[in-house]
């Protein structure tokens, strides 16, 4: 019952093959030989043939979907692209679609669309609304950008999707139905899950390994329901279309033969700026040539349709920054309309061809398979179900795109610094607004200014999730533009945190005074420029107490180390009750002759709360001499190299050898070499004790999950590490937790390598046109966690595994550290009181992804609503939580919001889709929330 019979198209296509209705990508990779034979005109595929009478009973239905792929930064900055190209594309779109109601267009990047919208008049806006209502213009995906899917963290993917969808809701009343991702370099099921949770029904992907594409084409499985690995039913399924050929440009979208398809890209007509590399130019369609031109194109359409199970065919029509000039609109739309008119008026051809949007295509596809028009309720599945991911991508030969998993690591780290600070600011801002309402008096709190800063930060972070930004694959000056935006937004969200914390800890709210030039609180570090590391501020401490406010941005109570720099080693730390807190100091040198004191103490912090400490001159705390080989956390460091040698487990004092080495990969001696995208190494890594990076090398760290495949080249076995990676056996697990995305691999048993940086003299011929030589000193941040298994692992090898609770919490501490702020010295020491908004910690496995103020539809500031986004983490119970110091418990996914959010005074809680586009009807008590493991849910809070 779980198998379907199908006549495949591939070599030996006359035999009947069986394939399962459900398949797992790990099994597909096992099955494939990853050879690369010449497939004829479709180089990476096979010859496709058909019988002329195949469409006699059911005609071929062709949807040609015009699109323009607008990168929000790549070879030019976002603003330069907008000025030179994008604004003209959108202006021409309004005029040219209005000229003929049969013309269609899709658009996806809201970052560009919103900038254009702000610059057009109300008359043009009305024209856009009419185009959307008539179905001529469709917004696909509707995120702020078309994000990278390898280096992005899921919370930033959600954030840019919410920002785009909220903009659409406020300005156009549009709810996207279909995802469109033609350019990200590999695809993750996480993005599929987020689109599904946002209420989208369909999605399209393009950059998948050429061998996988060929296999899927031969099996007619290019269209499938994509399901999460961990999903026990079909609740995460989303209908996905994988484009079959090399690229999303016109030569590779009409059919298998690019030489022919290029002749139907009418921007390449003789006399234009671009031509066909196959040296046969397009011809303008006339009465004299329309029959031959239509039949040649129909032959390509029919061949392409043989790779799919239905008679509905998708043919994208576009490329990067297309439709800039009015003449291109005329060239493409007029010539295609003549071809369609000919095809449609000749019933013997058995074809119906038209322009369409991507959702027009999916609606027709669903209708032809008898599916629910938008939902996932399909009865007897007409299409297979797939689980797994599409990494690591190769577009030809052994050209694996694993280099960009690490390229420009400084900015991959800066991205996560903004992500963490933005979340901290969002939560504190929402709590402050609620707290102000509780006091109900006019005040000086800058709620509108802060909301503008948050909005700009959301958009700058969103922009950086673009597939040429966080990937490190832009021109040098474009990278600086992104970095400057991230840097300014880090400064701005710190202003939001400081002004919000000021209000919340102040005992007498009437004394609140906002002075942006002289803030009441001062952060404990400062970043001098977009390409420099932050440095610690040195706080002056005298006999009069200096107040320190510590913010815990996580939803669980915690005890964590706080480190601040102070002017004197003779310093005492007191908590809010006046009790002395144990502390220690060590010297830090400002320069050759001046030292400050590095003061460390363990802070106790309520969930999402603010603690208050006093620093005052007094007796000297403990100073620790570096005389122990074993550090207190159980690491043993080599005296000669300074590198890790052993780890000791707290639980039973057992020791494990853990060796760290630095190694270098050079680039291959072949003609094609590593660049910003590609990793093409020489085969042997060189082990170094002193590391200096020369051009065309990359450095990685050996620490002596996924499937490493010997049949693939070394570079194919690197994967993106966004949060953690672990090595395990039946008795234990070693996890490496990370605070930035980098490329990682396990090429030998018991060994882990992480690429830390790359320096490349040359371009890798993927369009960037430069190497990567702008390396910066980068403070990559990690934690190593060694755990013993307390219960036997399930013998069944599932295609997924979970971190332990301790691992999840350690990851949270690493990525969301406590934030320390000192009261400005110029301020009179007012009375401060700790702030604790929750009645208790959230359960250990429940993560508050965000508490995000929603913009008012009436004005630019916040409304009285907030989006609460929760994620229940899946975890492996087989690891002990004894002696871990965790200050939380688990509740089988249940959480009572009103009891927890005591400071928020919530009037109503409404379950909604991920990005708040759709309201869910639920009979359940909205206060009592229940989430399944791995589930992400959003709730609209109406604050009183």
């Amino acid at each position: 019952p779980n198998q379907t019979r199908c006549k495949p198209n591939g070599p030996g296509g006359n035999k009947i093959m069986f394939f399962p209705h459900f398949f797992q990508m790990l099994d597909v990779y096992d099955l494939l030989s990853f050879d690369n034979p010449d497939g004829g005109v479709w180089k990476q595929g096979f010859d496709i043939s058909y019988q002329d009478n195949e469409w006699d009973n059911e005609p071929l239905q062709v949807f040609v979907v015009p699109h323009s792929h607008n990168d929000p930064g790549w070879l030019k900055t976002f603003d330069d692209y907008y000025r030179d190209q994008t604004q003209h594309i959108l202006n021409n779109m309004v005029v040219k679609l209005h000229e003929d109601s049969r013309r269609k267009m899709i658009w996806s990047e809201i970052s560009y669309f919103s900038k254009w919208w702000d610059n057009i008049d109300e008359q043009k806006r009305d024209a856009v609304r009419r185009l959307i209502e008539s179905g001529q213009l469709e917004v696909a995906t509707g995120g702020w950008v078309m994000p990278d899917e390898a280096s992005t963290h899921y919370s930033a993917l959600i954030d840019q999707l919410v920002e785009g969808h909220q903009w659409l809701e406020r300005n156009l009343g549009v709810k996207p139905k279909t995802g469109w991702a033609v350019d990200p370099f590999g695809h993750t099921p996480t993005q599929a899950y987020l689109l599904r949770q946002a209420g989208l029904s369909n999605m399209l992907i393009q950059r998948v390994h050429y061998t996988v594409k060929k296999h899927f084409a031969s099996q007619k499985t290019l269209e499938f329901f994509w399901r999460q690995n961990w999903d026990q039913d079909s609740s995460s399924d989303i209908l996905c279309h994988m484009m079959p050929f090399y690229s999303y440009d016109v030569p590779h979208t009409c059919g298998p033969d690019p030489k022919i398809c290029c002749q139907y890209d009418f921007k390449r007509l003789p006399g234009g700026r671009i031509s066909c590399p196959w040296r046969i130019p397009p011809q303008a369609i006339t009465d004299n040539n329309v029959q031959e031109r239509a039949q040649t194109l129909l032959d390509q359409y029919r061949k392409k349709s043989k790779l799919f199970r239905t008679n509905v065919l998708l043919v994208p029509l576009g490329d990067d920054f297309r439709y800039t000039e009015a003449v291109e609109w005329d060239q493409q739309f007029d010539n295609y309309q003549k071809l369609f008119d000919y095809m449609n008026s000749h019933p013997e051809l058995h074809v119906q061809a038209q322009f369409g949007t991507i959702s027009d295509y999916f609606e027709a596809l669903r209708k032809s398979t008898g599916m629910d028009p938008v939902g996932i309720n399909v009865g007897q599945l007409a299409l297979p179900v797939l689980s797994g991911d599409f990494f690591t991508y190769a577009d030809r030969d052994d050209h694996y795109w694993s280099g960009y998993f690490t390229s420009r690591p400084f900015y991959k780290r800066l991205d996560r610094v903004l992500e963490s600070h933005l979340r901290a600011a969002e939560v504190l801002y929402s709590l402050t607004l609620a707290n102000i309402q509780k006091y109900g008096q006019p005040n000086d709190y800058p709620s509108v200014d802060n909301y503008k800063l948050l909005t700009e930060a959301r958009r700058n972070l969103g922009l950086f999730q673009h597939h040429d930004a966080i990937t490190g694959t832009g021109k040098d000056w474009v990278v600086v533009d992104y970095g400057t935006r991230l840097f300014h937004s880090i400064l701005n969200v710190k202003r939001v945190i400081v002004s919000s914390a000021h209000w919340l800890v102040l005992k007498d709210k009437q004394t609140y005074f906002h002075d942006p030039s002289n803030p009441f609180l001062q952060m404990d570090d400062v970043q001098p420029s977009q390409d420099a590391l932050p440095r610690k501020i040195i706080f002056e401490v005298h006999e009069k107490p200096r107040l320190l406010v510590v913010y815990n941005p996580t939803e669980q109570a915690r005890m964590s180390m706080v480190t601040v720099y102070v002017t004197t080693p003779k310093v005492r730390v007191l908590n809010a009750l006046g009790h002395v807190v144990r502390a220690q100091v060590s010297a830090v040198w400002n320069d050759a002759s001046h030292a400050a004191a590095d003061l460390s103490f363990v802070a106790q912090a309520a969930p999402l709360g603010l603690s208050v400490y006093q620093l005052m001159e007094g007796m000297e705390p403990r100073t620790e001499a570096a005389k122990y080989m074993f550090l207190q956390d159980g690491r043993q460091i080599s005296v000669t190299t300074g590198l890790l040698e052993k780890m000791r487990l707290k639980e039973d004092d057992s020791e494990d050898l853990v060796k760290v080495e630095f190694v270098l990969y050079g680039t291959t001696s072949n003609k094609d070499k590593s660049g910003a995208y590609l990793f093409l190494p020489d085969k042997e890594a060189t082990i170094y004790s002193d590391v200096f990076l020369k051009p065309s090398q990359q450095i990685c760290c050996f620490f002596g999950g996924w499937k490493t495949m010997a049949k693939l080249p070394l570079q194919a076995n690197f994967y993106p590490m966004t949060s953690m990676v672990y090595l395990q056996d039946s008795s234990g697990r070693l996890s490496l937790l990370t605070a930035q995305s980098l490329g990682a691999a396990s090429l030998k048993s018991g060994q882990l390598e992480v690429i830390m940086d790359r320096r490349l003299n040359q371009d890798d011929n993927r369009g960037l046109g430069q190497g990567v030589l702008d390396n910066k000193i980068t403070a990559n941040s990690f934690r190593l966690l060694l755990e013993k298994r307390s219960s036997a692992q399930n013998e069944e090898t599932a295609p997924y595994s979970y971190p332990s609770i301790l691992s999840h919490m350690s990851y949270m501490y690493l990525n969301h550290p406590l934030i320390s702020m000192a009261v400005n010295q110029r301020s009179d020491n007012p009375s401060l009181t700790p702030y604790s908004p929750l009645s208790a910690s959230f359960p250990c496995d429940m993560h508050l992804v965000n508490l995000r103020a929603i913009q008012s539809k009436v004005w630019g500031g916040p409304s009285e609503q907030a989006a609460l986004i929760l994620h229940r983490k899946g975890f492996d119970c087989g690891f002990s939580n004894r002696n871990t110091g965790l200050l939380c418990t688990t509740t089988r996914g249940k959480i009572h919001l009103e009891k927890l959010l005591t400071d928020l005074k919530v009037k109503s809680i409404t379950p909604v889709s991920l990005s708040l586009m759709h309201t869910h009807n639920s009979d359940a008590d909205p206060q009592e929330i229940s989430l399944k493991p791995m589930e992400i849910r959003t709730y609209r809070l109406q604050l009183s």
Side-chain angles (χ1 to χ4, degrees), residues 16 288 293 329 331 339 551 644 647 764 782 802 862 879:
I16 299 286
N288 294 333
R293 292 281 79 196
W329 287 84
Q331 286 169 334
L339 291 163
Y551 170 36
L644 186 63
M647 286 180 76
D764 51 10
F782 305 98
Y802 292 126
F879 293 95

Side-chain angles (χ1 to χ4, degrees), residues 478-498:
V478 177
V479 171
V480 170
D481 181 64
Y482 288 132
T484 304
R485 290 167 183 268
L486 295 175
F487 168 63
H488 283 306
S489 283
I490 289 169
L491 298 179
N492 286 339
V493 297
K494 284 182 172 181
R495 285 166 58 187
V496 176
I497 291 170
V498 159

Side-chain angles (χ1 to χ4, degrees), residues 430-462:
S430 296
L431 293 171
T432 305
L433 290 188
N435 193 271
I436 285 169
Q437 283 190 344
K438 200 164 81 171
Y439 282 88
Q441 58 204 37
N443 60 75
D444 201 27
Y445 180 73
S447 62
V448 177
D449 288 351
N450 277 354
Y451 194 80
K452 285 176 179 160
L453 296 178
L454 287 175
T455 300
E456 188 192 6
R458 292 166 178 175
R459 292 176 175 186
N460 283 337
L461 180 66

Side-chain angles (χ1 to χ4, degrees), residues 646-659:
K646 283 181 188 170
M647 286 180 76
R648 185 170 62 206
L649 206 66
K650 261 186 177 176
E651 237 172 287
D652 59 6
D653 259 6
S654 61
E655 286 182 11
D656 283 84
L657 298 176
V658 181
K659 191 178 181 190

